[in-house]
């Protein structure tokens, strides 16, 4: 009898949005670990493209992308795509209540997508040597 009550309590505690993919309202961390993978997913959550595979995303993957996912070793951040783009950096994603281009999110984390589709750290700007 006790197991029946516990099963009922667990069923009531389950999220009401079963079947839908959950999206993040928080930004990914400011510093992304080197093992971070960027993934484009369709509306069903199936991966269309992954960074680090040696290939840039095809136009078909960019057109079908419904979510952009930052997969870190200890966390995953999923954001809905609100506007398609011709390039990966042009995709617009919703983070919380605001909309950002993927290029802006990556740039703010000092990362860029290379021509081969891998995430690469941006080089730090060298301080200019101005003489007074």
């Amino acid at each position: 009898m006790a197991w029946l009550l516990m099963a009922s309590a667990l069923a009531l505690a389950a999220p009401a949005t079963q079947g839908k993919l959950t999206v993040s309202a928080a930004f990914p961390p400011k510093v992304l670990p080197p093992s971070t993978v960027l993934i484009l997913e369709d509306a069903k959550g199936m991966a269309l493209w992954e960074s680090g595979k040696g290939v840039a995303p095809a136009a078909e993957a960019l057109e079908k992308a419904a979510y952009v996912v930052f997969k870190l070793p200890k966390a995953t951040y999923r954001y809905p795509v609100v506007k398609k783009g011709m390039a990966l950096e042009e995709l617009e994603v919703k983070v919380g209540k605001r909309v950002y281009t993927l290029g802006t999110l990556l740039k703010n984390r000092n990362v860029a997508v290379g021509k081969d589709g891998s995430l690469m750290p941006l080089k730090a700007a060298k301080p200019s040597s101005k003489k007074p």
Side-chain angles (χ1 to χ4, degrees):
M1 182 77 155
W3 64 271
L4 182 60
L5 291 173
M6 192 158 77
S8 299
L10 288 175
L12 290 174
T17 59
Q18 289 179 349
K20 287 189 176 184
L21 297 172
T22 57
V23 295
S24 301
F27 287 100
K30 274 292 206 187
V31 178
L32 296 174
S35 58
T36 300
V37 177
L38 191 64
I39 303 171
L40 294 180
E41 292 182 343
D42 63 6
K44 296 178 183 176
M46 301 296 292
L48 299 170
W49 175 82
E50 280 187 35
S51 64
K53 299 285 185 178
V55 183
E60 181 182 358
L62 293 171
E63 184 62 34
K64 290 183 178 179
Y67 299 98
V68 173
V69 179
F70 286 82
K71 187 172 183 181
L72 284 69
K74 295 184 180 181
T76 301
Y77 298 86
R78 178 179 282 115
Y79 305 104
V81 174
V82 294
K83 186 176 178 187
K84 310 289 184 193
M86 296 301 293
L88 188 63
E89 292 83 3
E90 295 175 5
L91 292 177
E92 292 186 9
V93 295
K94 186 174 183 180
V95 182
K97 294 182 180 181
R98 305 191 101 196
V99 175
Y100 300 92
T101 64
L102 187 56
T104 301
L105 286 176
L106 293 172
K107 182 180 174 186
N108 289 344
R109 277 136 192 87
N110 294 322
V111 176
V113 178
K115 291 181 181 180
D116 63 348
S118 61
L119 292 178
M120 303 170 52
L122 293 175
K123 295 179 181 177
K126 294 181 180 179
S128 61
S129 58
K130 293 183 180 178
K131 294 184 179 180

